[in-house]
Amino acid sequence: LAAAHAQHQQLAQQKADLDTQAEELRRSNAELEQFAYVASHDLQEPLRKVASFCQLLEKRYGDKLDERGAQYIAFAVDGAKRMQVLINDLLTFSRVGRVSDDHVRVDLDQQLDKALANLAAAIDESGARVERPENLPEITGDPTLLTMLWQNLLGNAIKFRHPDRTPVLQITCERDEGDQDGPGSWTLCVADNGIGIDPEFAEKVFVIFQRLHGRDVYTGTGIGLAVCKKIVEYHGGRIWIDTEHTEGTRFCFTVPALPDEEPEAPAPADTDLEGAPA
């Protein structure tokens, strides 16, 4: 009895410690979120001032500056603008899953349609063809974040297209039935025929601000795939690069299936989008 009582006290103390740590973690996360938001907004104003006054300097004294002086001003303006983009992207990354915390029943078809509508100009310019399943499943999640996920993955495929090939983006969906303890999950993939990613960088691309190409070759801050990873993990899944796909890049991610869904995966059907989403 004495041993059981001691063990009970030990378990109670451990539970109390875990509760304290959990509360401390929640408080710390809230403070970090507030810091990121305030710092981002506080940094925006001086950056705007730097860019504005550099442009005024160029406008008023441009005729008195030599080529080197004008180049220096252009560098300063460009640096300030890129810093603003980095701050906005960092703010977006820090707020994933913390702003709305909206978990509702979501039709992935509708979120894909919205993403394709947002990418209509890029699809039209590149002549990209998108092949998608006839029907995608419904899951529980945040509609805005899931649209952002589709848009980042498809936008990346269009952005890093091969110069000698028309972009072809193929979306697939398969059901993992799971076991008796749960309803399983869906595995969705976005494959392209673009320039591809070397397998040695398969993990690095998901790290925030990591870039595999120079800014003079491809624009961007290197945050898109980090946001994708955070969105997928927020929904209880994981994301990875299928290194066996060698004719371009194939991103795959999982999301939990709804308990009342049938195990059959949607039948694939190709839909060509010549310049605009379906």
Side-chain angles (χ1 to χ4, degrees), residues 57-76:
L57 185 65
E58 181 182 28
K59 183 178 181 180
R60 175 167 294 187
Y61 302 104
D63 56 342
K64 299 178 182 179
L65 295 172
D66 58 11
E67 184 179 350
R68 182 65 62 86
Q71 187 181 44
Y72 288 164
I73 290 178
F75 285 156

Side-chain angles (χ1 to χ4, degrees), residues 175-185 259:
R175 172 71 182 265
D176 174 15
E177 297 184 30
D179 51 35
Q180 296 179 350
D181 297 328
S185 63

Side-chain angles (χ1 to χ4, degrees), residues 33-258:
E33 181 184 350
Q34 183 178 15
F35 171 78
Y37 184 81
V38 172
S40 297
H41 283 269
D42 288 347
L43 286 172
Q44 291 283 11
E45 185 55 35
L47 282 173
R48 279 193 292 266
K49 185 172 290 187
V50 169
S52 176
F53 275 95
C54 283
Q55 290 170 333
L56 286 173
L57 185 65
E58 181 182 28
K59 183 178 181 180
R60 175 167 294 187
Y61 302 104
D63 56 342
K64 299 178 182 179
L65 295 172
D66 58 11
E67 184 179 350
R68 182 65 62 86
Q71 187 181 44
Y72 288 164
I73 290 178
F75 285 156
V77 173
D78 179 67
K81 289 182 176 179
R82 284 197 290 111
M83 181 61 75
Q84 285 179 320
V85 173
L86 283 170
I87 290 172
N88 288 330
D89 285 350
L90 183 60
L91 183 59
T92 298
F93 179 81
S94 68
R95 300 178 76 183
V96 168
R98 296 184 178 277
V99 179
S100 63
D101 195 25
D102 189 12
H103 272 73
V104 297
R105 195 179 181 102
V106 180
D107 186 345
L108 289 179
D109 268 319
Q110 293 182 4
Q111 309 318 125
L112 176 57
D113 288 340
K114 291 179 181 179
L116 290 171
N118 294 337
L119 294 168
I123 293 173
D124 183 57
E125 184 271 332
S126 64
R129 188 172 81 248
V130 179
E131 303 172 353
R132 57 188 288 183
E134 190 172 298
N135 297 107
L136 289 173
E138 291 186 341
I139 66 168
T140 299
D142 185 311
T144 302
L145 293 181
L146 291 168
T147 298
M148 188 185 301
L149 174 63
W150 283 126
Q151 187 169 330
N152 280 341
L153 291 177
L154 295 169
N156 248 30
I158 296 172
K159 178 180 178 180
F160 296 103
R161 58 186 180 271
H162 197 284
D164 301 326
R165 295 194 289 263
T166 299
V168 177
L169 285 56
Q170 186 179 40
I171 301 169
T172 58
C173 179
E174 295 181 356
R175 172 71 182 265
D176 174 15
E177 297 184 30
D179 51 35
Q180 296 179 350
D181 297 328
S185 63
W186 291 101
T187 298
L188 299 108
C189 298
V190 177
D192 62 56
N193 61 342
I195 61 175
I197 296 176
D198 195 299
E200 67 176 295
F201 301 118
E203 295 294 332
K204 182 179 179 181
V205 295
F206 294 108
V207 179
I208 188 171
F209 296 141
Q210 290 293 320
R211 297 174 54 91
L212 303 184
H213 307 278
R215 292 186 181 89
D216 56 334
V217 181
Y218 294 101
T219 59
T221 58
I223 196 175
L225 290 177
V227 169
C228 288
K229 184 174 187 288
K230 195 169 184 180
I231 291 173
V232 171
E233 291 179 348
Y234 172 72
H235 285 84
R238 67 185 187 95
I239 186 171
W240 70 95
I241 293 179
D242 181 3
T243 54
E244 295 183 1
H245 181 81
T246 57
E247 296 298 324
T249 305
R250 188 171 189 250
F251 287 97
C252 297
F253 64 94
T254 61
V255 286
L258 293 176

